[in-house]
Amino acid sequence: MRNAPSAEHAGTDSSPTLGERRVKRVRRVRAGALAYFALFLVFVIWPGALLFNRPLPLILGLPFNMAVIAAWVAFGSVVLFALDRSERRHATEGRADDEQRPADEPIDSTPREVR
Amino acid sequence: MERWQLIGIIILLYCAVTLAIGLRAGRRTSKSVTGYVAGDRRFGLLVMYFVTGATVFSAFAFLGGPGWAYSRGAAAFYILSYGTLGIVPWYFIGPRAAGIGRRFGYVTQAQLLTGRFPSRFLSLLLAALSLAAFVPYITLQMRGAGIVIEAVTDGHVSLYLGAALAYGVVVCYVLRSGVAAVGWTNTFQGIFMVVIAWSLGIYLPFRLYGGVGEMFERILAERPEMLSLPGLTAAGDPWSWGGYSSAILVSAVGLMMWPHLFMKAFTARDDRTLRHTVVLFPTFVLFLVPVFLIGFAGVLQPESPSEPDFVLPFLILRSDLPALVVGLFCAGALSASMSTGDALLHAAASVTVEDGVRPFARLSDRTQRRLMQLLVLIVGAAAYYFAIDEGSSLVVLLLTAYGIICQFAPPLCAALFWRRATTPGVISGLVAGSLTAVFFFTTSRLGMELRPFDLHEGILGLLVHVPVLVGVSLATQPQDRAHSDAFVNPKTGE
């Protein structure tokens, strides 16, 4: 995030500016989403899968291990939705700021840390 | 009227509706190559959602999914696990690839890669590897369609005729309307297969066991090994954790690397559409839950189908369902087969022309389009030939397709995220990774088990691929900064 914290930089005091708080919030949501999918991966392959590898109790009639995988998948959509909302808000607010202060460097909403 | 005739009429009706949708779809797209290959970059969320879902889930999911649950039990859960994991990176990669595609006019994955790493050899290599993976894949879809039609018409319509009918329709609409037809027919077929899968997945356990929970309680009492991960192998022995886990990994890495799926990034109207497609994709993946229920419903049945993959038509035909329901089921299975087959056929033709021919010859827009249409016919005919050839060993080729396709992931990540990557690095990595995957696959087929921990050959290929890519890149001349910035940092690299 080379240029991310720079937009609201004009402030002279040391308290975080609106832009910095926004960038932090977006980073937190991104990190949370990546952590979710990393855990998803860990828990559906060996050795994480050993933790829930039992058929009982049945959940909605499904074996426990199958229900857990289905739950990871279903909740994945919710996590992606939250990530998308946060990214979109970030981009919209960033654009609004740019319109107010055309001289500012634009906030780059493109994520960089994903490999 | 006999029962099979009524079912036949339903299948014909389904094919007619699909054909009509496919032919109408192309009316609004331009006659350019971008129109034929990328739908003028105009696909909205509805079409993108179904085109991604229905293309990912093929006849393999609709027929093979129940087959896996039926014969290998919990091993099938790997198919449920990898879909979401495979598409998440796409949230970031898809819009970036699409943006670069819009800027430079790319319509295929290889164009993006050779844009960053200029090399005609790389372009040809990617086209050849893609085609080698596509043909057996299309063949399997055709066979799937033929098998289902033959089964539900009690053999009155042969596999050959069934496959010819279904894929005759596919070839017609792909020829005429290109990717626009793929998009709109997949929307129709996607809705169809999801509705049919959920209806049958709930209905069959209730009909045969009195409920989903009751079914699993009985399976647990009589065949408990079926419900414990990592399930069984095709031979019925316990599967290894290494095999199960690496199947998830390799499928997740390879999922969006399939050129026919990757290319859809260039069809989306905008980045928002692409991101929303990813957000909604897990809801499509959940359609595998009823698909597995269908397979588990067959586990305790006294009779068994000739092959595990036939468990779905087998159960349908033994459940005394009305002809209308059997006909609709058949249409659902055809949807699964055709929605993947059309995307593959279209991509095979597009990739061959754009990446295999165009770097070597100057072609007008019109000639390119004509050549693609000719190739749709040629590839379709070749796949049909293999589909009706009983002794064909193409399935073997398909088994390792994922091992090869997932080798496209490191070059793509390098192209979009690593400034220091170089053309020699990417080519050596790709060659080394693919050869490693093929080596371990071949030795294991010949009975020499050299793979450590039963790991998938694709993972072993990646373990060789990545260090070679990095090592050779660092040892060779870095690319011009402005050139690599256009891909790695597209916002500022303009």
Side-chain angles (χ1 to χ4, degrees), chain B residues 33 37 105-108 110-111 123 127 349-359 365 368 372:
Chain B
V33 168
V37 181
Y106 299 150
V107 288
T108 72
Q111 284 175 345
S123 186
S350 310
V351 164
T352 309
V353 173
E354 288 292 309
D355 308 328
V357 178
R358 211 159 69 101
D365 220 47
Q368 277 180 62
M372 279 174 198

Side-chain angles (χ1 to χ4, degrees), chain A residues 46 53 61 65 77 84 88 111, chain B residues 91-92 216 227 229 245 276 279:
Chain A
W46 184 89
N53 187 18
N65 44 15
S77 238
D84 189 56
R88 222 163 359 132
Chain B
Y91 183 89
F92 302 107
F216 280 114
L227 298 183
L229 288 170
S245 305
H276 285 176
V279 170

